[in-house]
């Protein structure tokens, strides 16, 4: 994978994440928990089961996504309880 395609995917992904339907979905506590647990487990598994630099790169990438979701959970831990019904 080239550096140009990585930069392009980061740019397009950040532009898509700013659109309102996707933004509200990504702010959901359930989605953040899923992203945190799923990507964290993939990061740990890829480190142990994929050999070489590919495993380390995959672990770092998935770990960053899990870290971002975890930080989102820490910023607003009681978001669902704070919503008026």
């Amino acid at each position: 994978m080239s550096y140009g395609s990585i930069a392009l995917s980061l740019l397009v992904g950040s532009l898509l994440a700013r659109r309102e339907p996707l933004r509200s979905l990504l702010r959901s506590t359930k989605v953040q928990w899923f992203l945190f647990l799923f990507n964290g487990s993939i990061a740990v598994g890829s480190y142990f089961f994929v050999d070489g630099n590919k495993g380390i790169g995959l672990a770092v990438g998935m770990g960053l996504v899990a870290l971002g979701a975890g930080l989102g959970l820490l910023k607003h831990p009681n978001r669902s309880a704070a919503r008026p019904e």
Side-chain angles (χ1 to χ4, degrees), residues 15-27:
L15 290 175
L16 286 175
R18 292 182 183 161
R19 297 185 73 188
E20 187 51 43
L22 191 58
R23 177 181 276 180
S24 62
L25 177 70
L26 289 175
R27 287 184 180 174

Side-chain angles (χ1 to χ4, degrees), residues 26-48:
L26 289 175
R27 287 184 180 174
S28 169
T29 306
K30 291 179 183 179
V31 171
Q32 286 183 346
W33 271 110
F34 171 76
L35 288 172
F36 177 68
L37 295 174
F38 179 76
N39 289 311
S41 63
I42 294 297
V44 170
S46 67
Y47 180 76
F48 289 111

